[in-house]
Amino acid sequence: MSGRRVAIIGAGVSGLAAGSYLQACGFSTEIYEMASIAGGVSVSWRRDGYVFDGATNWLPGSSAALNLHGILAEVIDFSKLDIIEFDEFARIELLDGTIFRVWKDCDLLEREMLRISPHDRAVIRAFTGAVRKIRTFSLPVWKTQELYTPSDLFRLFRDHWRLLFFVLSWRGATIDKFFSRLKSERLRTCMRMIFPHHGFFSLLALLLPVGWMCMRTTGYPIGGSARFNEVLLERYCLLGGSVRFNRRVRRIIIGSGRAVGLELWDGSTVQADAVLSSADGYETLINMLPEATVPAALRGRFGRLDLYPAMLQISFGVRRTFKGLGNKIILQLRRPIPAGDDPGMSTAIIRLCGFDPTLAPRGCTSVIVTLRTSDEQYWIDLRAKDPQRYASEKKRIAEAVTDELEQRFGNIRTSIDTVDVATPATYVRYTNIWRGSYQGWAPTPAMVGRSLPRRIRGLEGFYLCGQWVESGGGLPRAVLSARNTVQLICRDFKTVFTPPPPTAQVQERRA
Ligand SMILES: Cc1cc2nc3c(=O)[nH]c(=O)nc-3n(C[C@H](O)[C@H](O)[C@H](O)COP(=O)(O)OP(=O)(O)OC[C@H]3O[C@@H](n4cnc5c(N)ncnc54)[C@H](O)[C@@H]3O)c2cc1C
């Protein structure tokens, strides 16, 4: 046992995972979390008997078909999750009546694309050919790259050269650019709508998820984000960790070029041998650390690098079911909804959560509608400066979305039990997330596969993990990021990195 104490900032997925890894390696940890619950942006909330899930649609690595599963299983007891797989990821519905089904089966998906545009065979085959290759890859995730020895590098090229070649071949084009080669405007629109507003992302950010979907390793855990967090938190606590909720960190205390503790907003201080922040990147690097300790190049990334577009979530508790309509509809709106400088949010992602009985009373459905916006600042400023108008704007958005749902499904308005609107300002309020960007850095061609430093040169004992370190966000990436950073902490404290043993073994040891 190293007996060293690590203070962790943030009980999001990454902070909790980091806690489990550190506890397993013999460190003593405590997590300081500003919110009253764990999970960070991966969150759900209750309203009038309904649960509105704000995050977990799908869990890459949910089955052993992808080796990320093995990493997740180190911090999550999968026997406690009831995972279901859908046959289709989403149904895309265009205003002209086109329906495009995004199947989680490459042959069906290819047939669907050809049905919409038989003249685009070459581009379609190039896309589905790449998707099929993904099932042959495992990811080189067992060791963090900073610790690679020459023999690790040799093994990387020997065992993963086809994956490396694949990444180099596909990462340069954006999603928009690749599909601009399609002759069919309709198919182009459909392909861009699989992940709306991600057109500037690298094509890899579409290929990999679609590839994993077709490998049946992107299931949904019943209970959604809340259940996922519960299982993650349980494991951390079982390993001896603890979380201090409602404790917002104000600054990281530095002594003789070393992070030696935390100062909280309630005025109290915490001493530690090392500090690991899994909190939002801007909050950590710009607000919590003294300016002189963070290199200008790192500070400069805020404002220079692209972010995930922010979003609004309009959640409905509805006294009816939606049988036969699938789990997710991505809908072109009849009337785009303007807000601030955003001329019109024109695509709605509608999750019909009837597949999860824990989210609504019997015979009722939790319906989650997501709109992505290009003007997150409008909402952040409005909430801060004009709360009344902020409230009336939220009502306007809820009305506009209700209209669209009424047109699409009928029998909505009279069946609504409750409505809840979350804006980019809501995400900032509860998780401090910079500019409401709920998944951090966008995986553009320049960023995909890259990470930001996990340590700062000249500042000992300070570490970073989470979605502001790795681009692309996502639950497994948050866990992997924690695992990578803990390997560095172990190296610095001359401790052997040992992943947590299976839950049953920990329980036995404790007994
Ligand atoms: C709407 C939505 C849908 C998503 N869908 C999926 C999906 O289907 N599949 C998937 O894999 N991923 C999905 N994600 C992404 C995934 O949830 C995130 O990438 C991941 O949860 C990020 O975890 P994190 O720990 O890195 O960051 P965070 O969740 O941001 O955790 C950071 C924590 O730090 C805390 N904190 C911040 N500042 C302070 C401070 N000063 N003091 C103390 N605590 C502080 C925050 O409150 C938070 O708890 C989704 C996210 C959202 C929002």
Side-chain angles (χ1 to χ4, degrees), residues 9-15 32-35 37 39-42 54-60 247-250 265 278-280 283 288 311 313 427 430-433 438-439 465-468 473-476 478:
I9 309 171
V13 171
S14 194
Y32 298 86
E33 166 57 52
M34 63 182 257
I37 52 168
V41 298
S42 170
T56 308
N57 300 228
W58 54 304
L59 176 62
R247 297 283 194 284
R248 182 171 173 180
V249 176
R250 183 176 200 159
W265 277 85
S278 73
D280 171 79
E283 172 80 346
M288 288 184 202
M311 50 162 259
Q313 176 169 317
Y427 286 90
Y430 286 106
T431 64
N432 252 338
I433 214 81
Y438 63 93
Q439 278 197 192
C465 70
Q467 62 178 3
W468 293 86
L475 301 167

Side-chain angles (χ1 to χ4, degrees), residues 69-345:
H69 182 81
I71 301 279
L72 288 173
E74 290 174 346
V75 290
I76 287 165
D77 186 346
F78 271 96
S79 70
K80 295 190 169 169
L81 288 180
D82 182 8
I83 304 233
I84 54 169
E85 270 286 1
F86 305 109
D87 289 333
E88 61 181 24
F89 173 66
R91 255 169 232 195
I92 291 170
E93 298 188 2
L94 307 188
L95 283 170
D96 67 6
T98 302
I99 296 180
F100 175 73
R101 299 176 79 166
V102 185
W103 294 105
K104 288 180 159 190
D105 173 301
C106 201
D107 295 340
L108 289 180
L109 181 62
E110 184 176 281
R111 240 178 277 159
E112 185 73 348
M113 292 172 79
L114 286 166
R115 180 181 69 76
I116 303 280
S117 179
H119 304 297
D120 276 308
R121 191 168 292 269
V123 182
I124 293 172
R125 285 267 162 86
F127 179 74
T128 52
V131 167
R132 284 193 183 92
K133 273 200 187 138
I134 288 164
R135 77 169 79 121
T136 65
F137 301 139
S138 67
L139 304 174
V141 286
W142 298 102
K143 191 170 188 180
T144 189
Q145 284 173 16
E146 294 91 332
L147 299 183
Y148 272 13
T149 60
S151 60
D152 290 324
L153 272 174
F154 170 75
R155 267 197 295 274
L156 175 73
F157 288 112
R158 187 195 61 193
D159 299 341
H160 298 282
W161 66 269
R162 285 180 319 102
L163 170 66
L164 297 176
F165 185 69
F166 181 87
V167 169
L168 289 176
S169 316
W170 291 100
R171 92 170 193 197
T174 62
I175 293 171
D176 276 354
K177 182 146 186 242
F178 181 80
F179 290 114
S180 67
R181 291 160 55 192
L182 290 168
K183 296 185 193 103
S184 160
E185 176 68 38
R186 268 196 314 159
L187 183 59
R188 199 178 309 142
T189 307
C190 291
M191 297 311 289
R192 284 175 172 163
M193 280 173 67
I194 297 178
F195 294 114
H197 297 262
H198 289 185
F200 65 104
F201 287 13
S202 162
L203 184 65
L204 271 183
L206 176 64
L207 281 172
L208 289 172
V210 173
W212 295 337
M213 285 173 204
C214 294
M215 288 161 66
R216 315 289 286 179
T217 187
T218 56
Y220 165 82
I222 290 288
S225 304
R227 183 63 190 145
F228 184 84
N229 298 337
E230 201 173 38
V231 173
L232 198 59
L233 177 62
E234 242 174 57
R235 186 114 173 86
Y236 170 58
C237 294
L238 190 66
L239 286 157
S242 65
V243 184
R244 308 282 302 275
F245 291 108
N246 302 308
R247 297 283 194 284
R248 182 171 173 180
V249 176
R250 183 176 200 159
R251 69 182 186 99
I252 293 158
I253 304 171
I254 313 291
S256 314
R258 239 199 117 75
V260 291
L262 305 175
E263 181 188 311
L264 309 187
W265 277 85
D266 62 14
S268 59
T269 56
V270 173
Q271 286 185 347
D273 297 298
V275 169
L276 165 57
S277 179
S278 73
D280 171 79
Y282 191 90
E283 172 80 346
T284 304
L285 294 171
I286 311 294
N287 294 339
M288 288 184 202
L289 281 171
E291 190 172 339
T293 56
V294 184
L298 195 50
R299 297 172 71 89
R301 299 200 186 197
F302 297 92
R304 192 160 50 77
L305 297 182
D306 290 309
L307 299 176
Y308 258 85
M311 50 162 259
L312 287 93
Q313 176 169 317
I314 303 89
S315 312
F316 297 85
V318 190
R319 244 174 299 110
R320 58 163 284 189
T321 56
F322 295 83
K323 287 229 160 59
L325 289 171
N327 73 94
K328 187 188 281 185
I329 293 176
I330 305 177
L331 186 70
Q332 260 186 347
L333 297 181
R334 287 170 317 118
R335 285 200 208 101
I337 308 169
D341 284 340
D342 190 333
M345 296 175 277

